[in-house]
Amino acid sequence: MASDEQLSAIKRAKVLMVGAGGIGCELLKTLALSGFQDIHVIDMDTIEVSNLNRQFLFRQSHVGQSKAKVARDAVLRFRPNISITPHHANVKESRFNVDFFKEFDVVLNGLDNLDARRHVNRLCLAADVPLVESGTTGFLGQVTVHLKGKTECYECQPKPAPKTYPVCTITSTPSKFVHCIVWAKDLLFAKLFGDKNQENDLNVRSSDTASSSEHSEDVFECRKDEDIEQYGRRIYDHIFGHNIEVALSNEETWKNRNKPRPIYSKDILPMKITKENGDTEKDCATGDVSAMASLSLKNPQDIWSLAESSRVFLEALRLFFSKRGKEIGNLTFDKDDQLAVEFVTAAANIRASSFGIPLHSLFEAKGIAGNIVHAVATTNAIIAGLIVIEAIKVLKKDNNNFRMTYCLEHPSRKLLLMPVEPYEPNKACPVCSETPLSLEINTHHSKLRDFIEKIVKGKLGMNFPVIMQGASILYEVGEDLEEDMVAIYAANLEKALSELPSPVTSGTVLTVEDLQQEFSCSINIKHREEFDEEKEPDGMVLSGWVEAPVDKDNNKPIGNGESTSNALPSEEILEVEKDVEFQEPSAGAEPITGKKRTLSEVDGSRNQKTPEKLDVDDDDDDELVISNDWESLTKKKRV
Amino acid sequence: MEGQELTEQETALYDRQIRLWGADAQRRLRKSHILVYGMTGTVAEFCKNIVLAGVHSVTLVDERVVTEESLSANFLILPDENLYHGKTLAELCCDSLKEFNPMVHVAAEKGDILTFGVEFFEKFDAVILSCCSLRKKKWINQKCRKLSKPVAFYTVECRGSCGEIFVDLQDYKYSKLKRLDETIECRIEYPSFEEAISVPWRALPRRVSKLYFAMRVIEQFEYVEGRDPGQTIIDDLPGILKLRKELCETNSLNESQIADALLERLVRDTTEYPPICAIIGGILGQEVIKAISGKGDPLKNFFLFDAMDGKGLIEDISGPSGGSGAGFD
């Protein structure tokens, strides 16, 4: 394998790695050992303690530093004479444009979110640079190769959509613990500690059209002569007692469901909470405020009782107000915020108790709320080895031998590592082919802004779009736009499509482009008056766009946030957070769907039925994703 | 519950893997002692993996000194010649490994492994051999099988674009969680190394990987010729082909089953190839973690990988008495 010709191809090669996390560390090490001498690494993240179980280039002393830079330094220690250029930056930045990508012989992804992967995919297509994609989740992993025109691009096949939940399930009829978590995190926590001006479904009752938002504001505001303990109990009683009683009053809801029971604090806890031998003084010193510490609950793997959960709830609330008062009104849930996790776990447990759902430990709750993806070094090492093997084939222009490889947890027909031939490009892929899309929309009601948010940015994943009708630019973003143009575009956003300076009506063809991604798309517009509120909540339907089927219960869906993950099931999924640890189920484990193949099957192991689905199947590990609607409501920042 | 609770430090560090295999498994890992013989590139990968996983200790045995070849696929050895003086490969790798996880004890053991007695091997929960002659493999495997407590035994070898792992867990029992919170007890009986490689080839299923046979030919050649493991050159090919003929005749296997080209690759490309080290070191890491933690189905009993076809497969090379594998789906 290591022929002279191969060695010199490797020596000459310029390689771009995107991601220096779980896969990235293993990959950089293997590339260096394999003789690569010119490697660029892009990663925007800094090192965290939970990375250290597998991102072996990093040490405890590196926590807080740039992953790209520390990885580079670590590898140079055993290969001092190679060139590794770290970029501590977001790969979506404009400087990583097509010209930048064109400089490389191959691009290797070790990312943890779908968004960045799509972005890199488009740039690689535009630059005509081969892309080796990968992902891992726990024991599962895969490596895929993408060559423009020869194989599928990364977006040719639908990636599993992140799971979302109907609003009513979250607000009124939870049946799983994850529903309680989403309620505690995105509704209750947001209501108590987040931006007060945000729309919040907390007091929405499924059949009550007369819910008064003013009334709910009163409830959550601290009253004048109320101390924090009284406030806490009042809130507790309102959400776990009163609100449940109100819900119970609607018989219809509970016809075929188990009724929840209202819970009042006086029944669960004695009136005065006497402090246990806690560390209330200690937390001031350490700066790490914790209700668990305060209540001497030591083990995050213990499942609290209803009484303990209630104590944690009240204590966490008290600590937020008394020790972190300044942050209230600006807080968003962060899985690394111990107090926030404690609060959400407690609240979710109380709600679960009310609805007869099993309670969970803080450890488990944190994983669900934070969309934490399990990860281990071995899978990343295996995948890194497989990536390098494919990368070398790319350099040798060994075009007939590319393969996709799946790393399985349980063998399928004796195979733990299963090679599959790459598929031909999907001729209907709007990203790598030039097929136009169709959009049904009410051109009199829907505004340009809605179109851009839901379709252009949402579905198509463009970041800096230009919207044109023929030669007229309806909207664009850019740094060097003239003021009057900016004003016109801003005004256009608020106009209905049919009222734009160049009216958009049935039969209009819009061209949408992202210049950075060099991705361009035509959309044929069809006017439609009515949309089904339940089935088509966006009020627009895009056809021809390759997308996985969405949950049928998609009435104003609520998700649990997107985790930044990376793996195949590979490094982490679903939450719009900067934790590179998470794996995106949609970006990670990919079901082997495979339809067309370039060659006939080599052996039986390549037929359709083989591999088990690679996405995480366990209910508790459901990838919870925030739909775009919800995302805009909660104003989470995209990575 | 196995032993003491995990500390706060451990919970924070091991969070992502505890979410994969659970706290109990982590506690079992924390108590385990691993013996590793032969600091090849693949073994370096394996050691990195288990140190990160949080075993109690790793003991390295390799008396050799640093050579250019030992540097080529081993990222644990820093290219500073000043560090090499008087140190063996094992000692040099020790220092790097400790850095990956300060909670793990890593030490080098000096001496000839063939002189170590029962008291030595008894300290370990798993023994991994690499760069090991046929004779040594058999001897150490037998030692492991005679101990008062079962010791997991593994051999690993990578040559060029191929890799092979052998697993012997003797009489292995473990529990599995089925759906609906039901626990089932599983048991797998493993043949010893000698038993496994003695299984007549004609007794094996037709579709057994040809790499298995090829590796046995090479192994036998090195043994007969008194070579160190991996010490073959392209000029040996005629001798190898002749041996293949003999072995195939003895085993009633058609020679064409073991392709010339495959043997040629194995004879000629003996140096380790880093991507393969990563893959095999990863699979081996997973297997040892499974056996020690008692969580997950361990493979039985050979794992073979050839980057040429990209398949990583498991072959069950055992005679009629070689275990029932009860409890599998």
Side-chain angles (χ1 to χ4, degrees):
Chain A
M1 266 207 115
S3 69
D4 287 332
E5 177 205 315
Q6 178 172 304
L7 284 170
S8 63
I10 291 172
K11 259 188 175 176
R12 282 192 312 261
K14 190 166 175 182
V15 174
L16 174 63
M17 277 180 45
V18 189
I23 291 180
C25 285
E26 296 285 345
L27 182 56
L28 188 60
K29 168 259 301 166
T30 304
L31 285 171
L33 288 176
S34 300
F36 285 81
Q37 301 193 333
D38 186 357
I39 307 168
H40 284 240
V41 185
I42 303 176
D43 194 308
M44 56 187 265
D45 281 334
T46 55
I47 297 160
E48 294 176 21
V49 169
S50 60
N51 298 153
L52 303 177
N53 82 318
R54 65 203 182 283
Q55 299 176 23
F56 71 97
L57 298 176
F58 311 143
R59 306 279 169 267
Q60 184 73 42
S61 57
H62 294 135
V63 171
Q65 294 179 36
S66 151
K67 288 190 178 187
K69 292 182 185 168
V70 176
R72 183 265 313 251
D73 293 343
V75 173
L76 286 179
R77 284 175 73 200
F78 60 88
R79 282 294 181 272
N81 299 322
I82 65 176
S83 166
I84 304 176
T85 312
H87 302 270
H88 183 198
N90 188 335
V91 70
K92 286 159 78 169
E93 282 173 30
S94 54
R95 58 177 152 133
F96 303 123
N97 55 15
V98 178
D99 288 334
F100 175 82
F101 274 75
K102 273 189 179 155
E103 291 179 36
F104 298 97
D105 298 297
V106 68
V107 175
L108 311 176
N109 269 356
L111 286 166
D112 61 6
N113 68 90
L114 186 58
D115 205 47
R117 284 173 152 127
R118 288 161 90 183
H119 184 88
V120 172
N121 179 52
R122 291 166 190 189
L123 281 160
C124 287
L125 287 168
D128 202 2
V129 175
L131 169 64
V132 182
E133 251 292 355
S134 65
T136 63
T137 297
F139 292 123
L140 305 175
Q142 91 265 334
V143 175
T144 55
V145 183
H146 305 278
L147 265 82
K148 182 172 178 174
K150 298 202 179 78
T151 70
E152 284 188 331
C153 80
Y154 180 71
E155 295 179 79
C156 276
Q157 283 209 29
K159 303 291 175 276
K163 194 159 175 72
T164 54
Y165 303 94
V167 167
C168 47
T169 305
I170 304 299
T171 59
S172 314
T173 53
S175 55
K176 294 185 191 173
F177 188 70
V178 60
H179 303 152
C180 303
I181 288 282
V182 175
W183 175 87
K185 188 177 75 144
D186 294 327
L187 296 182
L188 184 63
F189 185 90
K191 186 75 181 178
L192 285 169
F193 307 116
D195 187 347
K196 299 246 182 315
N197 297 322
Q198 274 186 31
E199 200 179 297
N200 189 304
D201 286 316
L202 187 58
N203 281 331
V204 166
R205 284 150 272 177
S206 49
S207 61
D208 183 3
T209 50
S211 63
S212 152
S213 58
E214 276 172 44
H215 175 70
S216 68
E217 281 298 275
D218 285 348
V219 171
F220 286 93
E221 286 291 322
C222 198
R223 293 184 184 145
K224 274 220 166 127
D225 291 326
E226 200 175 40
D227 70 20
I228 192 64
E229 306 238 1
Q230 291 165 319
Y231 173 69
R233 283 180 180 261
R234 186 168 60 75
I235 297 295
Y236 183 111
D237 291 340
H238 180 80
I239 57 183
F240 300 122
H242 175 261
N243 280 357
I244 301 293
E245 305 233 21
V246 170
L248 282 170
S249 66
N250 180 1
E251 293 285 328
E252 192 60 37
T253 316
W254 310 108
K255 247 190 182 166
N256 298 318
R257 293 189 179 99
N258 291 331
K259 291 183 177 180
R261 58 176 186 120
I263 302 178
Y264 290 95
S265 57
K266 65 174 172 20
D267 301 323
I268 306 299
L269 298 174
M271 278 317 286
K272 264 235 179 269
I273 306 174
T274 47
K275 292 269 158 50
E276 320 263 321
N277 296 331
D279 291 326
T280 40
E281 291 316 307
K282 193 174 174 189
D283 57 35
C284 293
T286 59
D288 249 351
V289 176
S290 160
M292 279 174 72
S294 185
L295 297 167
S296 293
L297 290 165
K298 297 235 162 75
N299 190 350
Q301 305 243 352
D302 284 337
I303 301 180
W304 305 329
S305 62
L306 174 57
E308 285 168 331
S309 299
S310 303
R311 280 197 201 98
V312 173
F313 178 90
L314 292 172
E315 179 65 2
L317 193 76
R318 184 188 77 81
L319 286 171
F320 265 117
F321 279 93
S322 58
K323 305 262 187 263
R324 294 174 59 178
K326 291 192 188 122
E327 300 172 61
I328 295 177
N330 290 322
L331 281 168
T332 48
F333 179 81
D334 178 351
K335 68 179 193 324
D336 295 314
D337 181 344
Q338 175 69 15
L339 195 59
V341 173
E342 290 172 354
F343 178 82
V344 166
T345 304
N349 272 338
I350 300 165
R351 186 169 176 81
S353 181
S354 182
F355 283 84
I357 298 168
L359 274 52
H360 285 60
S361 67
L362 181 105
F363 179 80
E364 291 166 321
K366 178 177 173 179
I368 300 169
N371 288 303
I372 299 180
V373 176
H374 38 281
V376 72
T378 49
T379 321
N380 289 332
I382 294 165
I383 292 307
L386 294 169
I387 293 171
V388 173
I389 291 174
E390 295 305 309
I392 292 174
K393 287 178 198 167
V394 167
L395 297 175
K396 283 164 62 180
K397 305 214 194 306
D398 195 2
N399 289 355
N400 293 323
N401 286 324
F402 295 125
R403 65 178 133 252
M404 315 204 286
T405 310
Y406 293 88
C407 176
L408 307 175
E409 182 176 357
H410 304 291
S412 170
R413 299 191 194 199
K414 304 193 301 183
L415 290 172
L416 275 184
L417 298 179
M418 179 187 294
V420 174
E421 282 204 44
Y423 308 137
E424 289 170 349
N426 177 1
K427 293 198 172 64
C429 175
V431 179
C432 70
S433 73
E434 310 239 311
T435 316
L437 305 172
S438 294
L439 180 69
E440 289 169 88
I441 190 170
N442 188 320
T443 56
H444 301 306
H445 293 163
S446 295
K447 300 182 194 164
L448 184 62
R449 169 192 290 288
D450 302 326
F451 169 71
I452 292 174
E453 292 302 317
K454 293 187 173 142
I455 302 297
V456 180
K457 288 188 179 171
K459 294 237 157 60
L460 302 185
M462 293 188 184
N463 301 314
F464 302 112
V466 179
I467 321 283
M468 292 183 289
Q469 188 197 354
S472 306
I473 302 180
L474 295 171
Y475 180 80
E476 66 179 322
V477 283
E479 281 163 358
D480 42 7
L481 295 176
E482 290 170 17
E483 266 186 51
D484 48 352
M485 295 312 297
V486 174
I488 292 175
Y489 296 143
N492 282 351
L493 283 178
E494 304 310 322
K495 294 190 175 143
L497 294 177
S498 55
E499 274 147 38
L500 288 165
S502 282
V504 174
T505 54
S506 233
T508 305
V509 179
L510 288 178
T511 309
V512 299
E513 265 188 45
D514 183 318
L515 292 176
Q516 193 204 0
Q517 295 174 355
E518 287 204 7
F519 172 36
S520 166
C521 209
S522 297
I523 306 181
N524 298 324
I525 303 292
K526 289 185 191 144
H527 173 83
R528 201 171 110 191
E529 275 297 317
E530 300 280 327
F531 289 87
D532 187 321
E533 259 197 49
E534 280 203 29
K535 294 183 190 144
E536 300 160 332
D538 283 345
M540 37 189 107
V541 180
L542 188 68
S543 323
W545 178 249
V546 170
E547 194 176 44
V550 205
D551 227 311
K552 61 175 169 18
D553 267 333
N554 228 348
N555 176 16
K556 260 175 74 186
I558 292 187
N560 190 23
E562 205 187 336
S563 72
T564 58
S565 58
N566 157 26
L568 159 305
S570 106
E571 296 183 298
E572 311 162 274
I573 313 172
L574 311 178
E575 197 156 41
V576 187
E577 267 187 9
K578 282 162 65 155
D579 191 339
V580 190
E581 302 274 335
F582 293 97
Q583 295 187 341
E584 208 161 6
S586 43
E590 296 181 9
I592 304 170
T593 50
K595 286 162 202 135
K596 291 176 253 179
R597 309 210 179 212
T598 50
L599 296 172
S600 54
E601 294 175 3
V602 169
D603 62 35
S605 62
R606 288 192 195 178
N607 83 41
Q608 238 92 345
K609 294 194 329 174
T610 37
E612 61 214 27
K613 266 200 164 225
L614 297 178
D615 39 277
V616 181
D617 229 1
D618 185 28
D619 265 355
D620 277 343
D621 287 336
D622 269 344
E623 306 143 4
L624 307 173
V625 166
I626 275 188
S627 73
N628 293 315
D629 285 0
W630 190 245
E631 192 183 11
S632 60
L633 287 176
T634 55
K635 288 190 193 154
K636 290 205 178 196
K637 292 197 181 63
R638 285 213 151 244
V639 167
Chain B
M1 282 249 279
E2 298 279 336
Q4 291 173 333
E5 298 284 354
L6 296 170
T7 65
E8 230 181 274
Q9 186 191 9
E10 287 169 324
T11 321
L13 177 63
Y14 300 135
D15 184 87
R16 300 300 188 261
Q17 63 200 40
I18 291 172
R19 290 178 189 282
L20 182 56
W21 52 58
D24 273 351
Q26 190 62 49
R27 281 189 282 265
R28 281 190 212 114
L29 282 169
R30 185 178 57 174
K31 296 195 314 178
S32 63
H33 301 263
I34 317 293
L35 175 66
V36 173
Y37 175 89
M39 290 313 299
T40 57
T42 309
V43 167
E45 285 277 346
F46 165 74
C47 288
K48 172 231 332 145
N49 294 334
I50 53 158
V51 167
L52 290 171
V55 296
H56 185 85
S57 75
V58 181
T59 305
L60 312 175
V61 179
D62 195 327
E63 301 270 86
R64 297 176 295 174
V65 292
V66 178
T67 61
E68 196 156 321
E69 178 163 345
S70 51
L71 281 176
S72 67
N74 190 329
F75 64 97
L76 299 177
I77 306 176
L78 308 183
D80 180 356
E81 292 190 15
N82 298 327
L83 298 172
Y84 301 162
H85 287 304
K87 285 200 168 177
T88 62
L89 271 181
E91 285 166 330
L92 287 169
C93 291
C94 241
D95 299 330
S96 302
L97 282 172
K98 284 180 188 160
E99 285 189 24
F100 297 145
N101 188 345
M103 293 193 274
V104 178
H105 303 271
V106 187
E109 183 77 30
K110 289 180 113 86
D112 179 358
I113 196 169
L114 290 173
T115 64
F116 297 161
V118 162
E119 339 69 54
F120 175 78
F121 286 96
E122 245 166 13
K123 293 188 276 186
F124 301 103
D125 300 285
V127 170
I128 289 88
L129 306 181
S130 184
C131 210
C132 200
S133 69
L134 183 60
R135 185 180 144 254
K136 246 182 208 165
K137 281 182 194 171
K138 287 184 190 176
W139 192 91
I140 296 172
N141 182 225
Q142 281 310 310
K143 260 276 184 323
C144 289
R145 288 186 138 243
K146 292 193 178 116
L147 301 172
S148 53
K149 80 166 202 283
V151 170
F153 175 88
Y154 302 83
T155 69
V156 62
E157 192 179 333
C158 288
R159 297 171 87 103
S161 48
C162 298
E164 180 186 77
I165 296 171
F166 168 76
V167 181
D168 176 11
L169 304 181
Q170 301 172 46
D171 188 4
Y172 184 73
K173 299 189 185 76
Y174 65 109
S175 324
K176 248 186 356 181
L177 208 64
K178 277 256 178 207
R179 303 239 156 215
L180 304 173
D181 292 329
E182 192 195 310
T183 310
I184 59 168
E185 295 303 310
C186 305
R187 182 180 179 193
I188 314 176
E189 285 174 44
Y190 286 78
S192 71
F193 180 72
E194 179 144 27
E195 284 168 354
I197 62 172
S198 306
V199 172
W201 293 355
R202 66 179 166 279
L204 295 170
R206 191 112 65 75
R207 296 189 71 186
V208 161
S209 163
K210 308 306 172 252
L211 180 56
Y212 171 75
F213 298 127
M215 293 294 277
R216 303 284 77 71
V217 174
I218 303 281
E219 183 178 71
Q220 188 67 7
F221 180 83
E222 285 175 352
Y223 172 67
V224 163
E225 299 290 313
R227 302 283 178 90
D228 283 336
Q231 296 304 310
T232 56
I233 51 174
I234 192 62
D235 296 351
D236 290 322
L237 189 56
I240 298 260
L241 295 176
K242 179 159 167 273
L243 182 60
R244 174 188 66 181
K245 189 179 158 88
E246 289 168 22
L247 290 171
C248 285
E249 269 166 22
T250 317
N251 281 287
S252 309
L253 192 76
N254 193 320
E255 260 195 281
S256 63
Q257 289 290 303
I258 311 174
D260 286 15
L262 175 56
L263 285 171
E264 190 180 328
R265 277 196 287 135
L266 290 171
V267 162
R268 187 191 59 221
D269 304 329
T270 57
T271 45
E272 284 182 301
Y273 187 46
I276 310 295
C277 298
I279 293 167
I280 301 297
I283 299 278
L284 181 60
Q286 261 164 211
E287 287 304 312
V288 173
I289 289 169
K290 276 193 258 183
I292 289 178
S293 66
K295 198 141 199 270
D297 303 314
L299 73 86
K300 177 192 176 198
N301 53 348
F302 277 88
F303 176 81
L304 296 141
F305 178 76
D306 186 348
M308 212 55 154
D309 65 13
K311 291 186 194 171
L313 41 61
I314 298 172
E315 292 291 2
D316 185 347
I317 311 288
S318 42
S321 62
S324 54
F328 274 92
D329 286 340

